[in-house]
Amino acid sequence: MSGARTVLDRCAELARITADAPRIERVYLSAEHAAANTLVAEWMERAGLRTWQDTAGNLCGRREGRIDGLPALMIGSHLDTVPDAGAYDGPLGVLMAIAVAERLRDHHLPFALEVIAFNDEEGSRFGTALLGSQAVAGRWQDHWWDQKGRDGLTLRRAFTDFGLDPGRVSEAARTPAGLVGYLEAHIEQGPYLEAEDRSLGLVTAIAGARRFRLSILGEAGHAGGTPYPRRRDALVSACEAITMIERVARESGENGCIATVGQIQVQPGAVNVIPGQADFTLDIRAATDVQRDAMWDGIRVEIERMCSSRGTRLEVFETHSAPACECASWLRDAIATGIRRTGDDDPRSLWSKAGHDAMAMGAICDVAMLFIRCREGVSHHPAEDVREIDVVRGIDAYEQTVLEIARLYDVRDGAGAAAGRTDVRSGAVPACFGRTR
Ligand code: HGY
Ligand code: MN
Ligand code: MN
């Protein structure tokens, strides 16, 4: 029986697939992406799943239900990482899903069970995030193809170099009729479960996020010969803006907005030259899109006011936008039942300040998430860690959640069949089904 120890050992094995050892880094359409897909496909097949790589580079596994071609309950997470990542953000959810598939391999479920390992949840390489899950949700945007990574390759070029055909990316899209719903297990990436000494949590909603590249344009000049009144220092303008951003987000409170500047570049970047340009990223998120957008509007106006007082100006490029996502109550109830069956009779609900593939999947099916405590809430850092007992309880809760959904389905099908309905058995097998790897 594949249990927690196997899941943790496999997380460690996956962590050794990296572009930057000993740091962990696996980005979309890289050799590490391909190697991770190959390794995880073996684990999926050992769990009794038939595997394929879809036309967006996601790794998929499927086992049919009582009859072939039933709609699928999809469970999974992502295999890509941020730079210098931890070993659990993404892989833990994929490997727990495989463990559940293995445990249920002899169950004749009233739906197909699919495990998916998305890629490019993080958006680390090209800027736009959730590329793999947005392809599955049928939301791929053509203007993404020209985005470039740090190596100067466009998404289109990297896609073809990986062996994928840009013209076929739409074939990764799934139909709502083919899906029962999507479940994702993920580390909490926050301190709340740890603070209450809880193993598991139930996600109510996922914060909507927007990402920008902001350019502040001033004028390069001589570090010695340029008097202050004549300076249009882009870096000082950016520093003022960045500290304002942190202040307004911090002041918005516990359930307000979260805004983070993760990258900054300065041009021309010489020790004795006043910076003429400062480019920095902004990641802004909130429980509701209204809160998030209002915060962004206020920040933009304030930066423009600051710039005008220094003779600099702001240019804005939006690189990513994902709406906040409510988790479906019937799936949340099933997860709550699963958590209760592990002995926690008062499951903790919380909203996710981290983004997840479930946000993209929410466009085409009902979604819900199970959180697993992570040590001191640390994530997006090599110190990211989980306890084995929490993974044991997480797999148990996950398995019980799938069985609860199957019970609900049988009750509904029973009622449906009794009422003479036949559509409950419909549902297309995905167009990309069949080994394309
Ligand atoms: O950025 C996030 O919230 C997620 O980890 N991709
Ligand atoms: Mn992440
Ligand atoms: Mn993640």
Side-chain angles (χ1 to χ4, degrees):
M1 164 99 70
S2 171
R5 190 64 259 156
T6 304
V7 165
L8 294 172
D9 291 346
R10 288 175 171 175
C11 283
E13 190 170 349
L14 263 177
R16 290 190 285 274
I17 299 179
T18 175
D20 187 23
R23 300 174 2 147
I24 300 173
E25 183 169 9
R26 274 191 311 276
V27 297
Y28 189 39
L29 305 174
S30 63
E32 295 73 38
H33 170 181
N37 274 11
T38 300
L39 179 61
V40 175
E42 283 169 25
W43 293 334
M44 284 186 177
E45 285 158 11
R46 271 189 236 161
L49 301 171
R50 211 172 342 180
T51 65
W52 72 97
Q53 178 177 276
D54 74 12
T55 57
N58 302 303
L59 174 65
C60 311
R62 179 181 169 102
R63 193 180 71 245
E64 295 302 331
R66 287 186 191 129
I67 57 172
D68 287 2
L70 290 173
L73 177 65
M74 188 182 273
I75 62 177
S77 191
H78 61 95
L79 292 177
D80 64 296
T81 75
V82 294
D84 200 12
Y88 303 100
D89 171 4
L92 182 72
V94 172
L95 298 170
M96 284 177 67
I98 294 174
V100 168
E102 185 144 27
R103 285 192 179 185
L104 297 177
R105 67 189 302 159
D106 299 324
H107 272 70
H108 298 291
L109 298 169
F111 39 71
L113 186 63
E114 286 196 18
V115 175
I116 191 159
F118 288 111
N119 222 283
D120 206 49
E121 186 276 336
E122 300 289 1
S124 296
R125 183 171 181 184
F126 298 102
T128 297
L130 308 175
L131 286 181
S133 42
Q134 295 208 69
V136 171
R139 282 348 189 232
W140 188 281
Q141 309 289 320
D142 280 342
H143 70 266
W144 295 343
W145 289 119
D146 298 326
Q147 291 183 95
K148 287 186 178 175
R150 278 175 298 184
D151 56 8
L153 290 184
T154 62
L155 170 54
R156 179 188 304 279
R157 172 66 192 279
F159 207 78
T160 47
D161 288 355
F162 190 75
L164 295 171
D165 174 355
R168 292 188 58 201
V169 69
S170 60
E171 292 173 29
R174 308 297 292 276
T175 62
L179 292 169
V180 167
Y182 172 74
L183 298 181
E184 182 166 359
H186 201 287
I187 51 171
E188 178 200 349
Q189 298 176 304
Y192 301 102
L193 295 179
E194 175 98 343
E196 297 175 20
D197 191 22
R198 290 172 176 271
S199 288
L200 306 175
L202 168 61
V203 176
T204 55
I206 306 165
R210 291 174 72 179
R211 295 180 186 176
F212 302 88
R213 193 179 69 251
L214 303 180
S215 289
I216 297 205
L217 305 169
E219 187 174 81
H222 194 290
T226 312
Y228 281 105
R230 294 189 186 186
R231 291 187 179 213
R232 294 167 56 214
D233 187 327
L235 181 53
V236 172
S237 255
C239 292
E240 266 188 343
I242 293 167
T243 46
M244 175 274 293
I245 288 167
E246 199 262 356
R247 178 176 49 77
V248 297
R250 181 191 290 271
E251 288 170 357
S252 73
E254 191 59 50
N255 286 310
C257 286
I258 308 116
T260 309
V261 174
Q263 294 172 325
I264 187 165
Q265 283 92 24
V266 174
Q267 295 177 44
V271 64
N272 57 351
V273 179
I274 300 165
Q277 180 166 338
D279 300 311
F280 59 93
T281 59
L282 173 62
D283 171 312
I284 186 166
R285 46 186 92 186
T288 68
D289 295 346
V290 169
Q291 275 177 291
R292 179 201 61 195
D293 296 345
M295 171 67 79
W296 161 243
D297 293 342
I299 283 172
R300 177 174 190 157
V301 166
E302 183 58 13
I303 295 177
E304 285 169 343
R305 188 196 61 74
M306 290 173 152
C307 284
S308 66
S309 71
R310 286 183 174 274
T312 57
R313 63 186 175 83
L314 171 68
E315 283 185 359
V316 175
F317 306 89
E318 183 157 10
T319 56
H320 172 64
S321 176
C325 175
E326 279 290 323
C327 293
S329 58
W330 74 281
L331 287 177
R332 278 172 29 202
D333 292 347
I335 291 181
T337 299
I339 294 175
R340 283 194 196 91
R341 289 181 189 162
T342 66
D344 176 352
D345 56 11
D346 176 25
R348 170 72 149 84
S349 292
L350 62 170
W351 66 280
S352 174
K353 300 182 176 179
H356 300 285
D357 288 304
M359 299 163 83
M361 290 303 291
I364 58 168
C365 68
D366 286 342
V367 302
M369 291 189 71
L370 171 67
F371 267 175
I372 289 85
R373 165 171 52 180
C374 58
R375 205 177 294 279
E376 294 172 21
V378 168
S379 181
H380 284 189
H381 187 281
E384 196 176 80
D385 195 12
V386 292
R387 294 168 177 81
E388 184 166 348
I389 183 59
D390 293 345
V391 179
V392 169
R393 290 172 182 156
I395 298 171
D396 289 347
Y398 210 172
E399 176 192 19
Q400 290 304 316
T401 300
V402 174
L403 290 173
E404 175 63 8
I405 292 168
R407 186 190 68 78
L408 293 170
Y409 235 64
D410 277 335
V411 164
R412 194 197 72 166
D413 277 3
R421 272 181 51 202
T422 57
D423 66 324
V424 288
R425 297 270 171 217
S426 70
V429 174
C432 58
F433 186 65
R435 196 183 287 269
T436 57
R437 216 162 28 90

